Amino acid sequence: MLDDFLVRAALAGLAVACATGPLGCFVVWRRMAYFGDATAHAAILGVALALAFSTSIYAGTLVVALLMALTVASLAGRGWAMDTTLGVLAHSALAFGLVAVSFIPGVRVDLSAYLFGDILAVSRMDLAVIAGGAAAVVALLVWRWRGLLTATLSEDLAHASGINPGRERLVLTVALALVVAVAIKVVGALLIAAMLIVPAATARSLARTPEAMAVLAVLIGGLAVLGGLQASLHWDTPAGPSIVALAATLFAVSVPVAGMLRR
Amino acid sequence: MSLIEARNLTIRHGGAPVLAHVDFAISQGEIVTVVGPNGSGKSTLLRALLGIQSLSEGRVMRKAGLRIGYVPQRLHVDPALPITVRRFLSLPDRVDDHAAAEALARTGVAELGGRQMVGLSGGQFQRVLLARALLSRPEILVLDEPTQGLDQPGVAAFYKLIEEVRRDIGCAVLLVSHDLHVVMSASDRVICLNGHVCCEGTPRVVSNAPEYRALFGLGTGGALALYQHVHDHDHDGHDHAHHHSQRAADA
């Protein structure tokens, strides 16, 4: 079954949707959209470094994404103007990454595979890494759910309940870096943030509790993956952008549907 | 013995002290109101007593295993976060439906369990926060400006509710308010804070006096009382008592 590249692509996409669903909810609740963007853009620098040192792309992106996320989180803690800081860091990391790739001798790198993803080229090995990474993120979020949710509602409330909000922030930062590393092959660095935000935003108008929103975000993300792959085969469009385009369409449909449900 | 006690508490935020040499203690069943102008360090004091804020000097002692029910200041629920009142009560620790219903009934919002937190009015929100704080069966309730944004009958109703809760479960109450003159009449002590303890005393219960009725009308049922500041020192060349009376005249 795994011999079929389409099956591998679908499974990889579904695994990513399982991780981006709940994590995307936190990104939306905590208004970290730009933070996700910065982390994802930094991944291109990770790709360049991985190619230069001939190490695994996943390891390279994970390390650089993690460094970026930790830098941003510590700057935020010191009261920097986040909007500007993120804008500077995100796009510089992307630019440096693109420049660094051009220096790599003798390698003709198809950068668009990393910018927009190459889900149809997912190998068995890739699938194992993606599924393992996604499972780790889901396990991490389930384990810390109580603390994460309390700290998201109010840091003071968390403190008073014996929960350290700084630790929960770190958990999200690590989870975000992990998701970026595993999703870069599926939707690419430029669209990872979309996979985080769009399904969660779609689920928002249909859910009444945080848990329901997280589960719905997974289902919507999964639907976008399967439908987007179909569409990309049918019309011969790039797979990653097709997935995100379908997710965006679902979002547009969800708004009037939620309005009707409330009535 | 005291539930929470602070000695010589000093907190600096980068040089300038926010609080200097504050001594504080609250005992079982006592109601203490802390008042002070904006920026006087009231919230910082609360956070220090709860152990959230680290101290520059001095020490804070809490009774071992003290159960604290905390009602934070103006909790903002992001509209992107869907959460029902019932689900909110189970944060961070799950509570069963019976306990949740009982807590909501006690704070007078029994019918709100299925509502979204985002859709609550200010008064309803405070009552839900109080219900959540009660679920930990607290020995002390700590409330940070719980009546902010409520109108005067709303404030009076909320104070009366706290009084009832205190009577029912016998907890101590530590309440912070930015209203310098009108305090909860059931307060055993009022502490006026402005970087240090300015003065300390008991509220004047004057609910039968005609001035009181002129100020508060009849709808507040004696839940509010006046606090008379006795300040024997100046701040930055301004007479403190004078500053206060001017505020009262403005109000």
Side-chain angles (χ1 to χ4, degrees):
Chain A
M1 185 180 88
L2 291 180
D3 290 336
D4 187 341
F5 73 96
L6 258 184
V7 173
R8 288 198 302 269
L11 288 177
L14 289 176
V16 167
C18 285
T20 52
L23 185 59
C25 288
F26 282 107
V27 169
V28 168
W29 296 335
R30 299 172 77 113
R31 310 197 164 205
M32 294 164 58
Y34 216 15
F35 186 87
D37 245 355
T39 309
H41 288 176
I44 287 296
L45 190 56
V47 169
L49 293 176
L51 289 173
F53 294 103
S54 337
T55 57
S56 147
I57 298 287
Y58 293 113
T61 48
L62 180 61
V63 168
V64 175
L66 196 56
L67 282 178
M68 178 63 133
L70 289 174
T71 307
V72 171
S74 78
L75 289 180
R78 279 180 228 159
W80 283 48
M82 241 21 273
D83 205 31
T84 311
T85 313
L86 282 171
V88 170
L89 287 175
H91 300 111
S92 329
L94 184 58
F96 276 111
L98 294 173
V99 169
V101 169
S102 75
F103 276 119
I104 296 165
V107 190
R108 280 235 160 258
V109 188
D110 179 15
L111 254 188
S112 72
Y114 300 105
L115 287 173
F116 301 108
D118 196 3
I119 191 172
L120 297 178
V122 166
S123 68
R124 277 164 176 266
M125 189 58 211
D126 289 329
L127 183 56
V129 172
I130 291 169
V137 169
V138 172
L140 189 64
L141 293 181
V142 169
W143 174 45
R144 309 292 320 174
W145 187 262
R146 198 179 71 94
L148 284 170
L149 195 55
T150 309
T152 298
L153 261 168
S154 157
E155 301 218 330
D156 278 351
L157 210 61
H159 262 309
S161 314
I163 295 162
N164 178 354
R167 198 177 49 212
E168 306 306 329
R169 250 196 319 266
L170 186 66
V171 166
L172 284 181
T173 306
V174 170
L176 197 60
L178 256 172
V179 158
V180 166
V182 300
I184 193 162
K185 188 102 189 180
V186 174
V187 286
L190 293 183
L191 293 177
I192 289 171
M195 270 311 270
L196 285 167
I197 293 154
V198 181
T202 311
R204 166 62 188 101
S205 49
L206 305 168
R208 287 179 52 77
T209 61
E211 290 77 15
M213 179 163 156
V215 170
L216 268 173
V218 170
L219 295 178
I220 290 162
L223 192 63
V225 164
L226 296 179
L229 274 177
Q230 284 282 339
S232 116
L233 276 185
H234 196 264
W235 287 298
D236 194 22
T237 49
S242 305
I243 292 171
V244 173
L246 181 57
T249 310
L250 290 174
F251 172 74
V253 172
S254 80
V255 176
V257 167
M260 276 187 286
L261 285 180
R262 258 195 295 272
R263 214 168 290 150
Chain B
M1 77 155 263
S2 304
L3 297 178
I4 305 180
E5 191 174 340
R7 282 200 207 128
N8 189 32
L9 191 131
T10 299
I11 291 164
R12 289 185 198 90
H13 286 326
V18 181
L19 286 174
H21 314 298
V22 173
D23 291 322
F24 173 89
I26 182 165
S27 357
Q28 215 155 11
E30 203 182 10
I31 299 184
V32 175
T33 296
V34 176
V35 299
N38 286 334
S40 59
K42 297 171 307 230
S43 287
T44 309
L45 174 65
L46 268 203
R47 293 163 60 84
L49 295 176
L50 289 170
I52 300 173
Q53 168 78 48
S54 54
L55 314 178
S56 306
E57 269 173 56
R59 51 187 296 210
V60 171
M61 289 149 287
R62 282 180 295 274
K63 200 191 104 180
L66 182 67
R67 290 192 307 276
I68 299 174
Y70 176 53
V71 177
Q73 184 179 18
R74 255 187 321 172
L75 197 156
H76 170 76
V77 177
D78 196 291
L81 176 56
I83 185 163
T84 58
V85 169
R86 173 66 188 90
R87 179 68 188 87
F88 177 73
L89 293 180
S90 278
L91 273 180
D93 296 311
R94 192 177 296 270
V95 295
D96 62 54
D97 285 342
H98 178 73
E102 199 180 70
L104 288 177
R106 171 165 272 154
T107 57
V109 284
E111 74 289 354
L112 291 185
R115 288 271 294 277
Q116 288 287 310
M117 291 293 288
V118 172
L120 301 182
S121 73
Q124 289 171 333
F125 203 104
Q126 288 315 115
R127 282 162 188 264
V128 169
L129 284 181
L130 182 61
R132 184 193 158 279
L134 292 179
L135 282 165
S136 61
R137 300 192 304 114
E139 294 162 82
I140 178 167
L141 266 181
V142 177
L143 306 103
D144 194 355
E145 305 210 14
T147 57
Q148 217 174 34
L150 302 187
D151 57 10
Q152 203 154 58
V155 171
F158 193 76
Y159 283 169
K160 236 189 260 174
L161 174 63
I162 292 173
E163 234 180 292
E164 277 168 33
V165 164
R166 203 274 301 248
R167 207 173 44 228
D168 289 353
I169 66 175
C171 59
V173 175
L174 173 58
L175 187 144
V176 155
S177 167
H178 64 282
D179 196 326
L180 294 172
H181 300 282
V182 180
V183 298
M184 184 173 166
S185 62
S187 307
D188 295 305
R189 269 189 300 144
V190 178
I191 296 171
C192 173
L193 200 69
N194 195 1
H196 58 276
V197 176
C198 277
C199 66
E200 198 170 334
T202 50
R204 221 166 105 223
V205 180
V206 286
S207 52
N208 291 323
E211 300 96 304
Y212 178 90
R213 258 181 256 136
L215 261 177
F216 305 129
L218 293 167
T220 55
L224 305 179
L226 295 176
Y227 176 64
Q228 179 113 44
H229 293 259
V230 187
H231 293 166
D232 50 4
H233 56 279
D234 289 0
H235 286 279
D236 310 311
H238 286 288
D239 177 37
H240 210 53
H242 169 72
H243 175 68
H244 279 152
S245 55
Q246 202 161 32
R247 259 194 64 126
D250 290 345

